[in-house]
Amino acid sequence: MTYSLQLYTVRGPLEKDLPGTIKRVAAIGYTAVEPYNFVATAGQLAAALTANNLTAPSGHAPLLREDQHQIFSAAQQLGISTVIDPHVDASRWRSEEGIIATAKALNAAAAKGAGYGIRVGYHNHEFELQSRINGRSGLEVLADHLDPSVVLEVDTYWAAVGGEDPVELLGRLGDRVKLIHLKDGPLTKENKDQVALGQGSVPIWDVIAAVPGLEVGVVELDDFNGDIFDAVTESFSYLKAGRN
């Protein structure tokens, strides 16, 4: 299993100095990153990754809202093998019909992505878990209607904020999950409440153990009340130290 850093975590520094920020991420010890909205910066980002011996096994892009050819082409340039749609509006999760429509759109994107040698996935926030269809979460209903080629990247923090036990949820979703977002905090909707891994309420090691086929564990903070590189460094150190 690879540990990666979602670059949205360091979006402020990245926008000011992309090469310098990527170099700093590599110096911490990360060997992989997860780019976001990478079409516009693909060339510059590819050069920075190569210069710092970093890979990008996955990336976030709005597949269901923007040009898929541009996204898949940029992903090829960056060596991204799994493109994950990070957000489908909460209004689409209020009915089974809306969820099925999203599944069909993801399946179509996956069929197109296959022509580029790229797998497609979906990443949740809290509302996909707060959505209840016949007693089940919207994310699980989505999984029922996805083509087997489409994977899930479960954001375990937002799943918990949405009312699910992330370990139990991962167990129910099973082999569908190939990537997870690892983040920590007091399980509130306030992004600045998030903290470095191991300093909050998420059972990080139980979450990791709940996915035997896990390919990538992606460190992410949506925001942080302090120097973001402190949290990024402390999170990496926590993971490298292993379970006590």
Side-chain angles (χ1 to χ4, degrees), residues 92 98-108 141-143 145-147 150:
R92 300 275 297 275
I99 295 170
I100 291 173
T102 294
K104 288 180 177 178
L106 287 166
N107 292 342
V141 174
L142 177 78
H145 295 279
L146 291 176
D147 184 89
V150 182

Side-chain angles (χ1 to χ4, degrees), residues 23-138:
K23 183 176 181 179
R24 190 169 180 182
V25 168
I28 291 169
Y30 289 91
T31 59
V33 296
E34 185 176 73
Y36 67 99
N37 287 350
F38 48 78
V39 171
T41 60
Q44 188 182 16
L45 185 56
L49 296 182
T50 298
N52 291 282
N53 297 313
L54 288 171
T55 63
S58 60
H60 280 196
L63 279 169
L64 304 192
R65 302 188 302 279
E66 295 185 8
D67 186 280
Q68 292 179 1
H69 169 70
Q70 290 184 348
I71 290 171
F72 290 133
S73 297
Q76 285 181 321
Q77 186 177 359
L78 289 162
I80 293 172
S81 57
T82 303
V83 174
I84 298 161
D85 194 300
H87 182 271
V88 170
D89 192 79
S91 64
R92 300 275 297 275
W93 297 87
R94 293 172 185 161
S95 68
E96 187 171 14
E97 292 75 17
I99 295 170
I100 291 173
T102 294
K104 288 180 177 178
L106 287 166
N107 292 342
K112 186 166 186 175
Y116 298 78
I118 291 171
R119 184 173 63 175
V120 163
Y122 183 73
H123 161 278
N124 64 281
H125 291 84
E126 83 285 354
F127 49 80
E128 296 94 336
L129 289 310
Q130 291 171 334
S131 166
R132 310 305 293 184
I133 307 295
N134 297 322
R136 299 173 70 227
S137 73

